[in-house]
Amino acid sequence: MAAEPDAAFAAWWAERRSAARLSVTPVPFRELPHWSFTRDGDLVHDSGRFFRVSGMRVQGPWGAGSGHRDQPVIVQPEIGVLGLLLKRIDGEPHVLLQAKAEPGNIDGIQLSPTVQATRSNYTRVHRGGATRHLEHFAGPGRGRVLVDSLQSEQGAWFWRKHNRNMVVEPVGEVAEHPDFRWIALRTVRRLLRVDHLVNMDTRSVLGCLPVELEADAAAGTVPDDGPPTEAARDGSTAHRLRAITSWLIDAKQHCPWQSGLVPLAAVEGWSRTETEIADEAERSFRIIAVQVEAGTREVRQWSQPLLAPRRPGLAVFLCRLTAGAPRVLVRARAEPGLGDLVELGPTVQWSTDDGPASPEEAGPYDGTALTDDAARVRFDAELSEEGGRFHRAATRYRIVEADGAVPDQVPDDHRWLTVHQLQALVARGHHVNVQARSLLACLASLR
Amino acid sequence: MAAEPDAAFAAWWAERRSAARLSVTPVPFRELPHWSFTRDGDLVHDSGRFFRVSGMRVQGPWGAGSGHRDQPVIVQPEIGVLGLLLKRIDGEPHVLLQAKAEPGNIDGIQLSPTVQATRSNYTRVHRGGATRHLEHFAGPGRGRVLVDSLQSEQGAWFWRKHNRNMVVEPVGEVAEHPDFRWIALRTVRRLLRVDHLVNMDTRSVLGCLPVELEADAAAGTVPDDGPPTEAARDGSTAHRLRAITSWLIDAKQHCPWQSGLVPLAAVEGWSRTETEIADEAERSFRIIAVQVEAGTREVRQWSQPLLAPRRPGLAVFLCRLTAGAPRVLVRARAEPGLGDLVELGPTVQWSTDDGPASPEEAGPYDGTALTDDAARVRFDAELSEEGGRFHRAATRYRIVEADGAVPDQVPDDHRWLTVHQLQALVARGHHVNVQARSLLACLASLR
């Protein structure tokens, strides 16, 4: 099991943590240099770059009241790169991870992908950008691309955010640096079980990595859309995928929501104080401002807004791992910030772990997902969401064996999919939400 | 060649035309019942349904001046269905087409798909909706789904419009109706060469229909994502597709545009009179209002805005049809209203047929695309765009044999793709723009 001695990793990690300390202090909005509120109330950076906090309005069939729900939302229209380098060392697939501090992180540093680059980093790569290792993902030095797709991020908090998720086998030398470390994939799988250690971006990319691909990577026999083993077993794989995508398009078409951006000042039910933008019911997230100071060596200091949830969320896959091809129960889930509104999500996904935050979040398997039966709980950890935009945002991720608790026939917004089918949909991009991709990464840790 | 006697079609067509006459009269905006301008200048329907005319702002690297381009745009966020019924009659694949009049049509009626349904038609199907034949595309009576994908429409005129393109083999009886006619696919291919006869929606759906699928439909051997013949010939089909999608993601990521909606009143360089909204340079389209009266039997009357281009556009595929697998030269094309900004488009695509309307529209193959050499021009017809939203909008569609005029090595925003590769990308949805899908439909007429 131990592909790498725990002690070596722990020593590196402790050293990195002391080297990368961030001091993060909440400040009033007026103490955010370079950030200001527009006449419409949006919170924007002077340069017009990075991101802005605006408003989102969702029209829906909610009958009573205004007929719409409003909230602040993070708008960041560019496509960034989340890139992972993968190579075989002594026959064993390893990935190059980075110890990276983000201001919203719960535990200081987390294991991040090789590269988290913005569009402007990426397009400047030919001039030798500042983002380390980016040359393996773009331009003439790009390695062998194993995974490359556009994937959404939290549709409850972001307006149509998507990032390019890549796994690349490098062709040239990969420079060493103390913040980066080649770690066996087997070890990474194990580390996923540690609370708040493997960051969201790493999980998102790992969730795009088919298990077969891992095994075959660097052996020159990389399979494609449909994993070959299953394709060989089942000549109708593609037929089934078509039926699944038709079902997902049905869900998109039936979704009665219409969402759009509105000025933050027009958002109803939320108000702004000197230090936060919050909903009057105090049930949703807050927008706050922080000042960040990076200690050691070169002193670096900046300020930025963060989206701060009040509680952790919950994301659970019910699954059947014991008989035949492993299957998971997905749910077609609407989130107002997603481009098509609906993507495949976990069986159960709550904004807060103390219960469904709205009637749509409730589902028939909520109780099963929260079972205490240790024999059925195959994975249970509290992991962090993106610390560059969210303040201490966590989700409790669980994988629970369904046993006989869930029949084959499920309500029409649910479907049993094989892990292979789900991975084929991930490969197409914009089909599987970020929580479900995280769970796919965690699921691989059970093998 | 003549799968159906021309005379029979012509007689039906003449009869339908006289039965479906529309009288369309331009009127001032104030004579549009149920439509009005909001305080922000948007042109909206009282019900909040159908569509609205708003403004679109595109930030780009245009340097001098304001740094952005503004224009009106049609906003219609719902997903409609464009559905085609396909069945084999006496061994020959036929599709059920509809003679349908739209207010913006150049020639009164055009050949439309079996179904053009809005979301609300579609979601009401279980109550027996008013849209004829819809029961074959949704609900328990749905037939065997051969094609099902979400596809974009004009990104220069629509804000993130997409429709569900479906081809279905019916399982139950298909009721007869004088407006509908089963026409052999071979005949439809021939009719594509007639100016303004086969409407945009039909072409869009036909462009999603792989040639093999046609042949095999109703024979129970429908191929999937990758056409099996090519897949068998070339084990690396999926690898190549991955390289192509990586290239397309590169183009999306590098696109320096940011587009967003703004109130129509904020659109710069355009002004509104009593009868039109037009750009001050008089080079782009106009927004006008029309009153429509449908004669015969039940008198029906309504009014609506239309987007009226000043000239036809141009869309050309350069291709290599003579040696080996047929190939077309695609270009990664940015259009501000597309969800990801960039999709695959024709080799040449101009907003107006008298030259590129902007520097981005120009390209190295403009001259080749306009060749007069009859031996190389394989297809040349002026076809209509959607008559329900556009007023007499036409595009000159050409397919031109490249011969030696275009090398294998092309600029990085161009790629030679096999027709099979392009069809596999069409099947994924949101990869190939509506002009290129029209051209794919026309290309099949050359077989």
Side-chain angles (χ1 to χ4, degrees), chain A residues 298-314:
Chain A
E298 28 168 354
V299 174
R300 217 157 54 94
Q301 185 182 309
W302 75 94
S303 300
Q304 66 167 88
L306 287 172
L307 185 155
R310 291 178 196 270
R311 294 185 60 85
L314 175 72

Side-chain angles (χ1 to χ4, degrees), chain B residues 280-292:
Chain B
E280 284 147 19
E282 296 187 7
R283 294 176 57 188
S284 196
F285 59 82
R286 301 173 304 138
I287 301 292
I288 61 170
V290 296
Q291 190 181 74
V292 190

Side-chain angles (χ1 to χ4, degrees), chain B residues 59-328:
Chain B
Q59 310 278 353
W62 293 298
S66 63
H68 59 80
R69 292 179 185 166
D70 288 356
Q71 64 166 86
V73 72
I74 298 176
V75 181
Q76 187 174 10
E78 63 166 39
I79 300 172
V81 172
L82 308 178
L84 201 55
L85 284 181
L86 183 151
K87 74 172 176 183
R88 206 166 271 257
I89 300 176
D90 296 334
E92 167 116 23
H94 283 62
V95 291
L96 186 62
L97 294 182
Q98 179 182 183
K100 193 166 197 296
E102 298 277 14
N105 280 359
I106 285 179
D107 234 4
I109 55 171
Q110 293 187 2
L111 279 173
S112 304
T114 318
V115 155
Q116 295 177 196
T118 61
R119 197 189 75 88
S120 50
N121 296 146
Y122 180 88
T123 53
R124 246 178 291 147
V125 68
H126 55 281
R127 289 196 260 142
T131 304
R132 206 173 291 276
H133 299 309
L134 187 54
E135 69 276 14
H136 295 289
F137 296 89
R142 182 186 280 178
R144 201 160 70 99
V145 176
L146 306 179
V147 164
D148 190 1
S149 52
L150 292 175
Q151 302 290 354
S152 67
E153 297 188 0
Q154 282 80 0
W157 296 339
F158 282 120
W159 176 252
R160 301 192 170 181
K161 169 93 177 290
H162 53 177
N163 270 322
R164 182 176 192 170
N165 284 233
M166 300 181 83
V167 180
V168 164
E169 187 188 358
V171 288
E173 276 298 292
V174 179
E176 301 205 349
H177 183 279
D179 284 340
F180 292 80
R181 189 176 179 89
W182 288 103
I183 305 181
L185 255 177
R186 281 198 290 171
T187 306
V188 179
R189 302 294 188 198
R190 189 158 39 79
L191 297 175
L192 275 164
R193 296 177 160 270
V194 180
D195 286 3
H196 307 299
L197 179 56
V198 178
N199 89 347
M200 177 185 103
D201 295 340
T202 305
R203 299 195 309 272
S204 172
V205 181
L206 287 175
C208 299
L209 187 67
V211 173
E212 287 81 5
L213 198 146
E214 255 174 58
D216 297 339
T221 57
V222 179
D224 288 288
D225 284 1
T229 44
E230 165 133 325
R233 256 202 318 274
D234 179 2
S236 65
T237 298
H239 279 83
R240 291 195 186 161
L241 272 184
R242 192 164 51 206
I244 296 162
T245 53
S246 272
W247 164 71
L248 180 58
I249 296 175
D250 275 342
K252 292 177 181 181
Q253 189 167 25
H254 282 92
C255 179
W257 294 2
Q258 285 189 12
S259 64
L261 291 177
V262 294
L264 189 47
V267 163
E268 296 171 9
W270 292 66
S271 55
R272 187 174 104 200
T273 68
E274 290 193 354
T275 55
E276 65 176 29
I277 300 166
D279 64 313
E280 284 147 19
E282 296 187 7
R283 294 176 57 188
S284 196
F285 59 82
R286 301 173 304 138
I287 301 292
I288 61 170
V290 296
Q291 190 181 74
V292 190
E293 210 162 300
T296 71
R297 295 180 217 137
E298 28 165 356
V299 174
R300 216 157 53 95
Q301 186 182 308
W302 75 95
S303 301
Q304 66 168 86
L306 287 172
L307 184 155
R310 292 176 196 271
R311 294 186 60 86
L314 176 73
V316 186
F317 258 154
L318 293 184
C319 61
R320 284 188 179 150
L321 301 178
T322 47
R327 286 178 185 271
V328 294

Side-chain angles (χ1 to χ4, degrees), chain A residues 112-312:
Chain A
S112 305
T114 318
V115 155
Q116 296 177 195
T118 62
R119 197 189 75 87
S120 51
N121 295 146
Y122 181 87
T123 53
R124 245 177 293 147
V125 69
H126 55 283
R127 288 197 260 140
T131 305
R132 204 173 292 275
H133 299 309
L134 188 54
E135 68 276 14
H136 296 289
F137 297 88
R142 182 187 280 178
R144 201 161 69 101
V145 176
L146 306 179
V147 164
D148 190 1
S149 53
L150 293 175
Q151 303 290 355
S152 67
E153 298 187 359
Q154 282 79 359
W157 296 338
F158 282 120
W159 177 252
R160 299 188 172 184
K161 169 93 177 288
H162 53 176
N163 270 322
R164 182 176 192 170
N165 284 232
M166 300 182 82
V167 180
V168 164
E169 188 188 359
V171 289
E173 276 297 294
V174 180
E176 301 204 351
H177 184 279
D179 284 339
F180 292 80
R181 188 177 181 88
W182 288 102
I183 305 181
L185 255 177
R186 281 198 288 172
T187 306
V188 179
R189 302 294 187 197
R190 190 159 38 81
L191 297 176
L192 274 164
R193 297 177 161 269
V194 180
D195 286 2
H196 307 297
L197 178 56
V198 178
N199 90 345
M200 178 184 101
D201 295 340
T202 304
R203 299 194 308 271
S204 173
V205 182
L206 287 175
C208 299
L209 186 68
V211 172
E212 287 80 5
L213 198 146
E214 251 175 61
D216 298 338
T221 57
V222 178
D224 287 289
D225 286 0
T229 44
E230 165 133 325
R233 256 202 318 275
D234 179 2
S236 65
T237 298
H239 279 84
R240 291 195 187 160
L241 271 185
R242 192 164 51 206
I244 297 162
T245 53
S246 273
W247 163 73
L248 180 60
I249 296 175
D250 275 342
K252 291 177 181 181
Q253 190 167 24
H254 282 92
C255 178
W257 294 2
Q258 286 189 12
S259 64
L261 291 178
V262 294
L264 188 48
V267 162
E268 296 172 9
W270 291 66
S271 54
R272 187 175 103 201
T273 68
E274 291 194 354
T275 54
E276 66 177 28
I277 300 166
D279 63 314
E280 285 149 17
E282 296 187 6
R283 295 176 56 188
S284 196
F285 58 82
R286 301 174 304 138
I287 301 291
I288 62 169
V290 295
Q291 190 181 74
V292 190
E293 211 161 300
T296 71
R297 296 181 215 138
E298 28 168 354
V299 174
R300 217 157 54 94
Q301 185 182 309
W302 75 94
S303 300
Q304 66 167 88
L306 287 172
L307 185 155
R310 291 178 196 270
R311 294 185 60 85

Side-chain angles (χ1 to χ4, degrees), chain A residues 418-437:
Chain A
T418 67
V419 172
H420 285 147
Q421 287 166 341
L422 192 53
Q423 286 179 331
L425 294 173
V426 169
R428 296 185 182 188
H430 285 308
H431 276 72
V432 179
N433 78 6
V434 65
Q435 290 87 349
R437 296 199 308 280

Side-chain angles (χ1 to χ4, degrees), chain A residues 85-108:
Chain A
L85 285 182
L86 182 151
K87 73 171 178 183
R88 207 166 270 259
I89 300 176
D90 296 332
E92 167 118 23
H94 283 61
V95 290
L96 186 62
L97 294 182
Q98 180 183 180
K100 193 168 197 294
E102 298 278 13
N105 280 358
I106 285 178
D107 235 4

